[in-house]
Amino acid sequence: GESVGLHLPTLSVQEGDNSIINCAYSNSASDYFIWYKQESGKGPQFIIDIRSNMDKRQGQRVTVLLNKTVKHLSLQIAATQPGDSAVYFCAENGGGGSNYKLTFGKGTLLTVNP
Amino acid sequence: NAGVMQNPRHLVRRRGQEARLRCSPMKGHSHVYWYRQLPEEGLKFMVYLQKENIIDESGMPKERFSAEFPKEGPSILRIQQVVRGDSAAYFCASSRDRLYEQFFGPGTRLTVL
């Protein structure tokens, strides 16, 4: 029979490879975007953010790219490590007067194979 | 510098009972947000509070759910007469001001039997 339920997109990479996680956001008024990492049984952990007046921002081993034309966000992780295994969520703030209200995507499960 | 604290970490209730979830924001943060997460889904906004004020409760069910952030003490999310559909992970976040960066606590996992 047909299975019913939600299944997270998954990405499986080898240790040391680069990872790219993609996210499509919905609200063209959003002016702030965040990537969070969530390990099993824990709360979301801030990774990196970007404002809408930028199209790229780099952190330590991570880079976020923003394409406002197609409402697309990506997270690049360099030299992926086993400790990077987690679910990754993008979030947008909706802009305007409710810019505190984060809207999260469904998440992507990243598995790093040693 | 302690992060956002939540307790209890796990809470089991029977249908019809009350659930009280507590959140202590990071030091220096006066803005608190509650989110709910169902399995394999992203977090959904419920309510935004500042000290003694509810700013936005548009994501919170109209009945049985309430939230407060008193002048002294933690923020409380209260669910009355719990039902099985309330089973979820509830996360609290705090920020220094309403602009952007929110830090999340470890969550409370509520199970309704």
Side-chain angles (χ1 to χ4, degrees):
Chain A
E2 184 178 325
S3 64
V4 177
L6 293 172
H7 299 284
L8 286 175
T10 59
L11 175 64
S12 184
V13 300
Q14 291 298 123
E15 182 178 359
D17 287 352
N18 296 333
S19 302
I20 300 176
I21 300 172
N22 296 304
C23 174
Y25 65 92
S26 57
N27 191 339
S28 55
S30 292
D31 57 11
Y32 180 62
F33 306 86
I34 314 165
W35 279 99
Y36 285 96
K37 171 187 180 184
Q38 187 175 27
E39 295 174 282
S40 181
K42 297 185 178 179
Q45 177 188 354
F46 175 91
I47 301 174
I48 191 168
D49 57 2
I50 188 168
R51 302 195 192 285
S52 59
N53 60 352
M54 303 171 69
D55 53 22
K56 180 179 179 179
R57 188 157 188 238
Q58 287 185 291
Q60 189 175 20
R61 276 201 313 120
V62 294
T63 301
V64 55
L65 298 177
L66 174 62
N67 185 331
K68 294 182 289 294
T69 303
V70 295
K71 292 192 284 188
H72 184 268
L73 202 62
S74 68
L75 176 70
Q76 300 176 0
I77 305 174
T80 316
Q81 303 168 0
D84 294 328
S85 294
V87 177
Y88 289 80
F89 293 98
C90 65
E92 57 179 309
N93 77 333
S98 299
N99 57 3
Y100 49 80
K101 191 185 298 186
L102 296 180
T103 299
F104 284 73
K106 285 192 187 300
T108 296
L109 174 61
L110 174 66
T111 302
V112 182
N113 302 308
Chain B
N1 184 14
V4 178
M5 311 282 282
Q6 288 188 251
N7 69 82
R9 295 293 307 276
H10 299 274
L11 182 61
V12 178
R13 285 287 178 265
R14 297 191 181 279
R15 281 180 297 169
Q17 291 185 319
E18 179 180 286
R20 279 185 181 240
L21 288 61
R22 295 175 185 78
C23 168
S24 297
M26 284 180 67
K27 186 177 180 180
H29 288 191
S30 59
H31 300 249
V32 166
Y33 316 81
W34 286 93
Y35 292 81
R36 177 163 66 176
Q37 185 178 35
L38 296 173
E40 295 198 347
E41 290 193 8
L43 282 70
K44 298 281 196 296
F45 170 84
M46 297 181 73
V47 61
Y48 163 40
L49 310 103
Q50 293 181 41
K51 283 286 187 181
E52 299 184 275
N53 290 306
I54 297 174
I55 307 302
D56 183 344
E57 56 184 348
S58 60
M60 204 152 66
K62 295 283 188 286
E63 297 178 352
R64 301 188 298 107
F65 285 71
S66 62
E68 62 178 17
F69 189 15
K71 187 176 180 181
E72 301 291 337
S75 174
I76 307 284
L77 179 66
R78 182 182 177 204
I79 311 172
Q80 295 178 288
Q81 299 176 322
V82 296
V83 301
R84 289 217 172 102
D86 297 333
S87 294
Y90 292 83
F91 291 96
C92 167
S94 73
S95 65
R96 189 175 300 277
D97 59 44
R98 64 175 279 160
L99 297 177
Y100 317 144
E101 193 169 338
Q102 298 178 18
F103 294 88
F104 283 82
T108 294
R109 278 145 188 86
L110 172 66
T111 301
V112 179
L113 301 177

